[in-house]
Amino acid sequence: MTEKLYIYDTEKRMKREFVPIVKGRVGMYVCGPTVYGDPHLGHARSAITFDIVFRYLRHLGYKVRYVRNITDVGHLEHDADEGEDKIEKKARLEQVEPMEVAQYYTLRYHDAMRALNCLPPSIEPRATGHIIEQEELVKQILDNGYAYESNGSVYFDIEKYNKKYHYGVLSGRNLDDIINESRALSGIGEKHNQADFALWKKAQPEHIMRWPSPWSTGFPGWHTECTAMGRKYLGDRFDIHGGGMDLIFPHHECEIAQAMASGGHEIVNYWMHNNMVTIGGQKMGKSLGNFITLAEFFSGNHPKLTQAYTPMTIRFFMLQAHYRSTVDFSNEALISSSKGLERLLDAHKALGRITPAGADADIRLSHIDELRRACTDAMNDDFNTPIVISHLFDACHTINQITDGKATIAPDAIEALKAVFADFAFDIMGLQDEAASNAEREKAYAGAVDLLLDIRRKAKEAKDWATSDRVRDELSRLGFEVKDTRDGATWKLNK
């Protein structure tokens, strides 16, 4: 961990050298999905961004505890304090239990993340599993005088908080004007003013997800979960808190206020935010109805898509833009990403077929050391994956020159170049050769079936009909058609 890593801190509005709170260890909390619908490109952007951070910190030698939550309660329509819980609304429309909705879409999210080769987090807590911790947080804020109870609900007192602290340090907003404007509404409704946000909501009779509390039978506000779970798993101070740029206000701003109001200090050292995915210059998202799900990208089944795109094409498409810049979707851009990824993988395959020359070859170890240094410098500059990719493309050009006989490479240089690809393309950026991976899976898959048929053959020879029939029946149940011939058994998978 001798490298100096610089991270852009949203709160400080500058790049800062990364210095962990505890030497050799990193605590990172990232806001995960609200599980009421299929994951889309915006989910992929955030997941891939922080997967890169996770991978690179581990590459540098840090022991990383990566916490990514699942929001399965309290996220109301329009991200406000009123309206119907999004998961409950989905459950009502589909006539199922809310937790069925949450579980179904959580599994869909996990499937999509695996396809994108995003490493699983160290801990993945759910809001519904941490109601006690959220109630304790609300109690602390009440005891410190920065919240008030109203008709069984508890609201954060923005005006009182703003007198001692500044509500707006992350987003740069000045809420004095908002507070002054909302004074005219005092006494109307449950809030003292319209800027206050819910810490706990009293459940209406039709609300399904509800828990007992000192204030009412109800449910936590959206913002409480991350503060409570972040402290539980990462402590009162931790290194990185991340999420999409759309969470800066109000969600992360409210988290800072909750931490200050309950403990008297901020708990996050570096705030990181990935930018948005746009379509035609407009943010892509569920609330705007212009999103394309990842399943639709993988299948090509959407009016805006001209073809299907592999998960690695989506990942490469994201990595070609810096995480703090917008990514504008278009078929042309995805097709270009597909060709770029193919070029990179083809060069890597060609690298394995190159015969090295002598020590006096054109490409020597010093050249590859410079390549590694350039890639490392790019990653240390706020995880600049587009620059890493540009350096790898330069390496592709060199590989093509060598394979065309226009240049030679030394033996130690070729091994060093293979290591650069292994580290930066595959380990850090998480790219995969899907064709090779599929071929390996199919080979292993066929080997497993052949092994079962060999067990069946031996069982038949031993007149162990029970085992023989069980193997055949189980393979049939799984969709395999087994035929016995004079030369042995053959099989195929019925589509």
Side-chain angles (χ1 to χ4, degrees):
M1 290 174 287
T2 59
E3 301 288 346
K4 285 190 176 182
L5 170 64
Y6 291 86
I7 296 176
Y8 186 87
D9 183 353
T10 307
E11 182 180 354
K12 302 297 189 294
R13 294 166 179 77
M14 62 181 291
K15 290 180 187 176
R16 297 170 55 209
E17 182 183 348
F18 178 70
V19 180
I21 293 169
V22 178
K23 187 177 181 180
R25 293 175 178 268
V26 176
M28 180 170 76
Y29 190 101
V30 176
C31 290
T34 303
V35 284
Y36 69 98
D38 274 333
H40 54 73
L41 212 55
H43 291 123
R45 182 88 198 269
S46 184
I48 291 169
T49 293
F50 293 101
D51 184 57
I52 294 296
V53 176
F54 184 31
R55 286 171 178 271
Y56 191 59
L57 289 172
R58 296 203 315 178
H59 174 79
L60 292 179
Y62 291 107
K63 184 174 182 180
V64 185
R65 177 174 286 178
Y66 173 18
V67 181
R68 184 182 67 206
N69 70 298
I70 295 289
T71 297
D72 56 1
V73 69
H75 202 319
L76 305 183
E77 290 179 293
H78 312 301
D79 299 340
D81 294 327
E82 304 298 333
E84 192 172 5
D85 185 288
K86 293 180 178 181
I87 292 174
E88 282 203 1
K89 181 178 180 180
K90 189 81 170 180
R92 176 175 56 78
L93 293 174
E94 297 184 4
Q95 297 185 325
V96 296
E97 286 291 323
M99 286 298 100
E100 286 184 74
V101 172
Q103 178 69 358
Y104 176 79
Y105 287 111
T106 298
L107 294 177
R108 298 277 286 180
Y109 178 78
H110 288 160
D111 288 344
M113 295 306 104
R114 277 192 294 271
L116 292 167
N117 198 28
C118 289
L119 299 175
S122 313
I123 303 172
E124 191 173 54
R126 296 189 182 210
T128 53
H130 297 79
I131 300 298
I132 293 174
E133 290 84 353
Q134 293 178 77
E135 289 185 7
E136 286 300 315
L137 174 65
V138 176
K139 289 177 187 176
Q140 290 171 3
I141 297 173
L142 275 167
D143 289 344
N144 290 341
Y146 292 107
Y148 57 89
E149 183 182 349
S150 179
N151 297 326
S153 294
V154 180
Y155 293 97
F156 192 94
D157 193 332
I158 288 288
E159 185 171 19
K160 186 169 184 180
Y161 175 84
N162 212 50
K163 289 177 180 177
K164 183 174 182 180
Y165 306 105
H166 174 52
Y167 183 80
V169 293
L170 189 62
S171 61
R173 300 191 181 206
N174 187 339
L175 291 197
D176 287 338
D177 293 338
I178 297 176
I179 290 171
N180 290 332
E181 289 170 5
S182 65
R183 282 196 179 113
L185 299 174
S186 295
I188 299 176
E190 295 182 343
K191 297 182 182 182
H192 289 177
N193 65 63
Q194 297 306 299
D196 296 346
F197 59 90
L199 298 171
W200 183 266
K201 286 288 291 182
K202 180 180 179 180
Q204 298 303 312
E206 66 274 11
H207 202 96
I208 302 171
M209 292 188 285
R210 55 174 66 209
W211 293 265
S213 80
W215 317 287
S216 65
T217 298
F219 56 93
W222 171 37
H223 311 302
T224 58
E225 63 180 274
C226 292
T227 305
M229 294 189 294
R231 290 202 306 195
K232 177 179 177 66
Y233 295 109
L234 298 174
D236 285 338
R237 297 182 188 273
F238 57 89
D239 297 292
I240 297 171
H241 194 326
M245 199 169 283
D246 56 334
L247 296 178
I248 292 176
F249 188 88
H251 187 48
H252 289 164
E253 198 73 78
C254 292
E255 282 195 60
I256 290 176
Q258 289 169 161
M260 295 293 291
S262 60
H265 60 82
E266 288 195 42
I267 61 175
V268 177
N269 201 7
Y270 300 84
W271 285 94
M272 290 184 66
H273 294 90
N274 62 274
N275 214 321
M276 300 293 100
V277 178
T278 58
I279 179 167
Q282 185 181 40
K283 174 194 166 187
M284 181 183 288
K286 283 190 175 75
S287 60
L288 297 173
N290 65 349
F291 66 97
I292 304 173
T293 69
L294 290 173
E296 289 168 334
F297 275 105
F298 300 159
S299 68
N301 186 24
H302 190 279
K304 292 186 179 294
L305 300 175
T306 59
Q307 64 179 69
Y309 298 99
T310 69
M312 281 303 103
T313 296
I314 299 296
R315 187 178 181 100
F316 192 68
F317 172 62
M318 296 295 184
L319 296 177
Q320 284 182 292
H322 190 271
Y323 77 89
R324 286 192 289 113
S325 64
T326 57
V327 173
D328 195 52
F329 156 78
S330 70
N331 280 285
E332 293 75 16
L334 282 171
I335 291 170
S336 176
S337 292
S338 179
K339 291 178 180 177
L341 177 61
E342 183 180 10
R343 177 187 168 196
L344 194 69
L345 296 175
D346 284 348
H348 178 254
K349 291 174 187 174
L351 183 59
R353 298 190 295 267
I354 290 174
T355 301
D360 60 346
D362 301 319
I363 311 300
R364 293 184 292 278
L365 181 59
S366 59
H367 296 97
I368 309 306
D369 288 342
E370 290 175 10
L371 171 65
R372 176 174 287 277
R373 179 75 262 163
C375 291
T376 300
D377 288 346
M379 287 303 299
N380 286 339
D381 185 16
D382 197 26
F383 312 98
N384 203 328
T385 56
I387 299 300
V388 175
I389 290 172
S390 71
H391 291 315
L392 291 177
F393 277 153
D394 289 341
C396 291
H397 177 69
T398 299
I399 292 169
N400 291 335
Q401 284 188 312
I402 296 168
T403 56
D404 291 341
K406 297 177 181 178
T408 56
I409 186 168
D412 55 356
I414 197 168
E415 293 306 315
L417 185 52
K418 289 176 182 177
V420 167
F421 270 84
D423 286 345
F424 289 93
F426 304 120
D427 181 33
I428 294 170
M429 291 202 295
L431 298 173
Q432 291 179 319
D433 188 339
E434 289 166 312
S437 298
N438 290 337
E440 289 175 5
R441 281 194 292 269
E442 288 175 7
K443 183 178 178 181
Y445 177 72
V449 176
D450 289 339
L451 176 62
L452 286 171
L453 291 179
D454 189 54
I455 292 171
R456 179 172 176 265
R457 177 185 61 78
K458 291 178 180 177
K460 288 176 70 176
E461 290 174 354
K463 300 188 184 303
D464 181 0
W465 309 118
T467 299
S468 171
D469 290 347
R470 183 184 175 190
V471 172
R472 180 200 61 207
D473 293 344
E474 284 298 308
L475 286 172
S476 177
R477 184 181 66 81
L478 294 170
F480 294 94
E481 182 181 332
V482 177
K483 287 186 178 181
D484 291 309
T485 68
R486 284 185 297 178
D487 299 323
T490 62
W491 63 272
K492 69 176 182 177
L493 181 61
N494 291 321
K495 296 183 179 179

